[in-house]
Amino acid sequence: AQSVSQHNHHVILSEAASLELGCNYSYGGTVNLFWYVQYPGQHLQLLLKYFSGDPLVKGIKGFEAEFIKSKFSFNLRKPSVQWSDTAEYFCAVNADDYKLSFGAGTTVTVRA
Amino acid sequence: DVKVTQSSRYLVKRTGEKVFLECVQDMDHENMFWYRQDPGLGLRLIYFSYDVKMKEKGDIPEGYSVSREKKERFSLILESASTNQTSMYLCATSAGELFFGEGSRLTVL
């Protein structure tokens, strides 16, 4: 079974700073990759996904992620964060079955 | 929009009680999932179902069972609740990506 590792448990940064959240997975075959976000008090929602094609994926709210197959990574980025980006972020991977495996999550706190 | 509805947002139960968590989806998706979410552990898959009356164990099925009698409804059952099952339970359906309900926060005393 695949496993997903998120590098940071909690990230604190100021508005307008750049954000990068690391995600690595352990599976050698074809994968589908996702980033989900959970804003305080809300349900999980999809930020972006990668199935195939261009390894640089753009999502909602100015987020993007880059799939680097050789590094088994799918890092999430945003050039300039806002206070409203305060949330918990989850990387998820699905290989050759129905199951989606999630990382432990990264809490992002943006200070105004 | 996909709608995934979990019947209870907050529950408080006592150790040994039987607990039912219900989930209903309105998008005719075949795949449905139950996850639990715990701080520092992310989401862990308990059970999933890819068709009516079909179920598969996830990564942490111990202490849980599920029922899928109709396509739109997927129930999670705790036969005898224990304190280590205090958690947030998330139901999801999938069609290429997962769509989540708002969660059921269960406290077992």
Side-chain angles (χ1 to χ4, degrees):
Chain A
Q2 63 268 27
S3 67
V4 183
S5 174
Q6 290 185 237
H7 306 161
N8 308 97
H9 180 62
H10 193 180
V11 172
I12 302 171
L13 59 170
S14 300
E15 276 193 309
S18 64
L19 173 69
E20 180 160 0
L21 303 181
C23 174
N24 286 90
Y25 61 92
S26 64
Y27 184 75
T30 302
V31 292
N32 298 322
L33 300 157
F34 306 79
W35 275 97
Y36 281 84
V37 61
Q38 187 171 33
Y39 298 104
Q42 296 188 26
H43 63 275
L44 277 151
Q45 55 188 285
L46 182 70
L47 261 184
L48 47 79
K49 61 187 177 186
Y50 172 81
F51 286 175
S52 64
D54 188 343
L56 185 61
V57 179
K58 294 197 184 297
I60 60 172
K61 305 188 181 188
F63 284 90
E64 64 179 31
E66 185 175 13
F67 171 49
I68 303 179
K69 189 174 181 179
S70 61
K71 294 185 178 180
F72 299 91
S73 71
F74 190 55
N75 293 352
L76 180 71
R77 298 193 292 252
K78 185 170 184 177
S80 177
V81 295
Q82 301 172 310
W83 176 81
S84 57
D85 293 321
T86 293
E88 191 161 15
Y89 294 80
F90 294 92
C91 180
V93 175
N94 143 260
D96 53 2
D97 58 17
Y98 299 100
K99 300 191 297 183
L100 202 59
S101 296
F102 285 82
T106 299
T107 300
V108 173
T109 301
V110 179
R111 291 181 170 156
Chain B
D1 280 353
V2 175
K3 192 165 177 64
V4 180
T5 304
Q6 294 184 228
S7 56
S8 305
R9 292 293 305 276
Y10 301 95
L11 303 96
V12 180
K13 298 290 182 181
R14 296 202 177 277
T15 301
E17 281 193 81
K18 191 168 187 176
V19 182
F20 291 89
L21 299 178
E22 300 266 299
C23 175
V24 177
Q25 53 114 347
D26 68 353
M27 284 302 293
D28 204 35
H29 290 166
E30 292 182 343
N31 302 330
M32 296 188 74
F33 305 80
W34 275 105
Y35 287 87
R36 63 177 282 178
Q37 182 180 6
D38 299 288
L41 296 177
L43 279 74
R44 293 178 292 167
L45 182 63
I46 305 170
Y47 267 96
F48 66 100
S49 168
Y50 52 88
D51 202 351
V52 175
K53 295 191 186 293
M54 305 300 286
K55 60 186 179 185
E56 292 281 346
K57 292 180 180 178
D59 299 317
I60 51 163
E62 296 77 19
Y64 303 95
S65 62
V66 290
S67 171
R68 185 129 183 240
E69 297 296 319
K70 294 184 178 181
K71 192 173 186 178
E72 68 272 17
R73 190 179 297 270
F74 190 37
S75 302
L76 179 70
I77 303 152
L78 288 67
E79 292 289 343
S80 177
S82 63
T83 55
N84 63 12
Q85 292 178 310
T86 290
S87 187
M88 171 70 85
Y89 290 88
L90 299 174
C91 176
T93 72
S94 79
E97 65 184 78
L98 284 179
F99 299 90
F100 287 90
E102 293 195 348
S104 298
R105 184 167 293 282
L106 171 67
T107 301
V108 183
L109 302 176

